[in-house]
């Protein structure tokens, strides 16, 4: 016990100036922390619930039988096909359109008619002033038969992924145009 | 950093007195559970409000997926409950909270009744509290139909038959609530509108009145 007393005597009279938290600050942190924890417990599930659509994994689209290869020539032709889609709780069939053509090398490609300007629908040879071009009626965007943008639109027309099997053309997802580059 | 932002705003708008009025007030000893544990009975009003806030928040989020339409209502509820992440939790909060808010409100009413807090000068606050009670029951009733399942459908049929049994006004009241001659498409949209716009608006107005009065008059004294 004597050693204990000695040690006590060696202590300075004032306690060392440690950085101590005041009672008020401790209570502020504790109550604030508990409140934040409870608030987060209530809010986080709701936020995750709300942002769910952007976190859903998008499955790769399937290929759909669209046209017989024997019917495809070097002039773009319009083909429609149906895509089954599940939109939340609502199942529906969307009718899609593709302009399909055989290029000089004999390769078949399919352009999507969605204008790259602001998303209207383009048509082939539908403007007398500009023969043999895709034309968009909304703001006058024009494209070559490869889909190269000539006016208004900032990018060439997108195209469908394509698969040829047993004399039939199958179309898949829409991807950026590669035909224009191929030509150049 | 927060302190700097706060000070910057406070210098310009002098907001400290506003939140002092709202938050900075003494809790009398007889309502503080730290002094008398039995004072926890004074918490039920605050708990009712807390759950009401959760009901409003979870309800707002549920309307991101729900559609008030007889073809899609059930499908959308099933979708948000089974396919959307945390859908079960968020809808669960709204579902169980709806019952819990009634329980808390009932306990709060009991406390006010047995401590005699409804007596002068607080009669008006008791009346407003009763109005809140009926609005809450209305919210429960209209929300019950929204999933559009068998339970919802028949519960609403029963409710409307009860309204119908009222002398003279009954049939008119029933048709008004139904929005037509059957429980159907128009009943669902009507109940949805009441549930998410009309009744919450009334509830918020009444709550503001309830809180202003309690702040003006203070908590009633000890027994």
């Amino acid at each position: 016990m004597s050693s204990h007393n000695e040690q006590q005597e060696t202590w300075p009279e004032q306690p060392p100036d440690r950085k101590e938290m005041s009672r008020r600050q401790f209570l502020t942190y504790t109550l604030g922390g508990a409140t934040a924890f409870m608030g987060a417990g209530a809010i986080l599930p709701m936020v995750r619930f709300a942002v769910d659509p952007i976190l859903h994994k998008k499955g790769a689209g399937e290929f759909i039988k669209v046209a017989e290869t024997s019917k495809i020539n070097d002039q773009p032709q319009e083909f429609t096909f149906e895509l089954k889609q599940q939109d939340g709780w609502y199942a529906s069939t969307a009718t899609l359109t593709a302009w399909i053509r055989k290029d000089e090398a004999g390769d078949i490609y399919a352009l999507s008619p969605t204008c790259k300007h602001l998303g209207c629908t383009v048509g082939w040879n539908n403007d007398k002033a500009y023969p043999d071009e895709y034309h968009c009626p909304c703001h006058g965007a024009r494209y070559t038969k490869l889909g190269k943008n000539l006016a208004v639109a900032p990018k060439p027309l997108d195209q469908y992924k394509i698969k040829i099997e047993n004399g039939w053309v199958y179309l898949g997802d829409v991807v950026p145009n590669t035909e224009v580059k191929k030509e150049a | 950093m927060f302190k700097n932002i706060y000070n910057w705003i406070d210098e310009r708008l002098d907001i400290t007195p506003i939140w002092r009025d709202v938050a900075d007030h003494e809790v009398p000893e007889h309502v503080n559970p730290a002094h008398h544990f039995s004072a926890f009975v004074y918490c039920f009003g605050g708990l009712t409000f807390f759950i009401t806030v959760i009901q409003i928040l979870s309800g707002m989020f549920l309307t991101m997926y729900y559609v008030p339409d007889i073809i899609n209502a059930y499908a959308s509820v099933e979708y948000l409950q089974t396919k959307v992440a945390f859908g079960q939790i968020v809808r669960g909060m709204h579902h169980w909270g709806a019952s819990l808010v009634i329980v808390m409100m009932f306990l709060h009413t009991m406390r006010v009744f047995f401590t005699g807090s409804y007596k002068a000068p607080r009669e008006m606050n008791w009346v407003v509290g009763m109005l809140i009670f009926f609005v809450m029951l209305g919210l429960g009733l209209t929300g019950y139909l929204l999933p559009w399942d068998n339970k919802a459908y028949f519960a609403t049929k029963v409710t409307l038959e009860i309204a119908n049994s009222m002398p003279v006004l009954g049939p008119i009241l029933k048709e008004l609530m139904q929005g037509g001659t059957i429980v159907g498409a128009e009943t669902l949209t009507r109940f949805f509108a009441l549930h998410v716009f009309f009744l919450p608006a009334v509830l918020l107005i009444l709550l503001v009145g309830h809180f202003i009065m309690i702040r003006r008059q203070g908590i009633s004294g000890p027994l």
Side-chain angles (χ1 to χ4, degrees):
Chain A
M1 292 306 274
S2 62
S3 65
H4 179 77
N5 285 337
E6 275 164 36
Q7 202 178 21
Q8 212 166 32
E9 279 158 22
T10 57
W11 277 3
E13 282 181 16
Q14 290 292 318
D17 187 29
R18 279 176 293 169
K19 276 201 168 174
E20 274 184 338
M21 192 181 273
S22 68
R23 179 183 292 255
R24 172 175 288 265
Q25 207 165 27
F26 172 77
L27 284 171
T28 306
Y29 287 164
T30 316
L31 290 174
T35 308
F37 182 75
M38 282 169 64
I43 293 296
L44 285 180
M46 299 181 198
V47 171
R48 178 63 182 82
F49 176 77
V51 303
D52 195 52
I54 55 168
L55 297 174
H56 262 305
K57 283 212 173 65
K58 276 113 197 140
E62 49 187 322
F63 282 88
I64 298 156
K65 199 187 229 182
V66 176
E68 276 180 279
T69 46
S70 57
K71 290 195 179 137
I72 313 282
N73 54 38
D74 63 346
Q75 278 302 305
Q77 289 176 83
E78 190 177 22
F79 292 91
T80 57
F81 58 102
E82 290 191 333
L83 176 72
K84 285 196 179 69
Q85 56 184 17
Q86 184 68 30
D87 177 17
W89 55 90
Y90 182 66
S92 61
T93 333
T95 305
L96 299 180
T97 307
W99 289 89
I100 309 181
R101 170 186 181 262
K102 212 180 266 184
D103 66 15
E104 280 64 31
D107 293 328
I108 294 172
Y109 65 90
L111 294 178
S112 155
T114 306
C115 182
K116 295 301 281 181
H117 176 222
L118 291 169
C120 293
T121 305
V122 303
W124 173 253
N125 239 341
N126 58 349
D127 185 2
K128 296 273 182 308
Y130 301 101
D132 287 346
E133 279 178 12
Y134 288 102
H135 176 258
C136 180
C138 290
H139 307 95
R142 292 181 288 115
Y143 306 85
T144 66
K145 59 183 162 188
L146 292 173
K148 185 177 162 51
N149 45 320
L150 299 174
V152 181
K155 277 182 203 153
L157 287 173
D158 287 337
Q159 61 187 117
Y160 289 97
K161 273 188 189 165
I162 200 161
K163 201 167 74 175
I164 315 279
E165 251 175 43
N166 303 324
W168 282 86
V169 176
Y170 290 76
L171 297 185
D173 291 333
V174 173
V175 292
N177 191 302
T178 55
E179 296 302 317
V180 176
K181 274 192 198 128
K182 229 188 263 180
E183 197 72 3
Chain B
M1 187 189 71
F2 291 118
K3 201 160 202 171
N4 286 336
I5 295 173
Y6 178 83
N7 288 339
W8 191 89
I9 297 171
D10 195 38
E11 273 167 31
R12 283 153 184 82
L13 298 175
D14 196 23
I15 54 174
T16 300
I18 301 171
W19 75 258
R20 284 255 159 91
D21 275 354
V22 174
D24 202 14
H25 57 281
E26 287 205 20
V27 177
E29 191 186 311
H30 72 284
V31 303
N32 187 344
H35 287 278
H36 311 284
F37 181 67
S38 61
F40 73 85
V41 293
Y42 285 91
C43 291
F44 293 127
L47 287 174
T48 310
F49 179 63
F50 176 67
I51 300 166
T52 304
V53 169
I54 289 189
Q55 289 302 99
I56 291 170
L57 285 173
S58 56
M60 280 164 58
F61 280 90
L62 286 174
T63 57
M64 285 187 172
Y65 294 94
Y66 177 76
V67 273
D69 161 66
I70 53 170
I71 309 284
N72 292 305
Y74 183 77
S76 69
V77 172
E78 190 183 36
Y79 175 78
L80 75 86
Q81 171 100 12
T82 58
K83 296 287 194 316
V84 181
F86 284 86
Q88 217 173 359
I89 306 276
V90 176
R91 181 157 176 263
M93 286 161 91
H94 206 71
H95 174 102
W96 296 107
S99 297
L100 208 54
V101 85
I102 303 285
V103 171
M104 291 300 161
M105 198 170 47
F106 183 73
L107 292 172
H108 175 60
T109 312
M110 290 290 101
R111 194 278 296 166
V112 172
F113 183 77
F114 284 115
T115 56
S117 306
Y118 57 87
K119 292 175 185 172
R122 300 187 175 77
E123 309 95 317
M124 280 167 68
N125 220 1
W126 171 266
V127 171
V128 169
M130 279 296 116
L131 293 177
I132 291 173
F133 202 112
F134 289 123
V135 169
M136 287 289 195
L137 291 182
L139 281 162
L141 172 80
T142 50
Y144 209 75
L145 178 68
L146 302 185
W148 200 250
D149 52 10
N150 268 308
K151 189 177 60 157
Y153 179 80
F154 286 103
T156 303
K157 282 206 100 145
V158 168
T159 309
L160 292 174
E161 283 310 316
I162 293 170
N164 193 35
S165 67
M166 196 172 153
V168 189
L169 282 177
I172 300 168
L173 193 64
K174 181 191 171 198
E175 199 164 329
L176 182 69
M177 286 167 80
Q178 228 167 221
T181 49
I182 56 162
V183 175
E186 291 185 286
T187 321
L188 183 56
T189 48
R190 193 161 277 251
F191 272 43
F192 178 74
L194 289 172
H195 188 77
V196 306
F197 294 112
F198 292 86
L199 291 174
V202 175
L203 179 70
L204 288 178
I205 292 166
L206 291 172
L207 282 179
V208 168
H210 207 59
F211 294 155
I212 287 175
M213 278 191 264
I214 186 71
R215 184 49 47 84
R216 269 289 154 77
Q217 301 175 321
I219 295 168
S220 58
L223 293 175

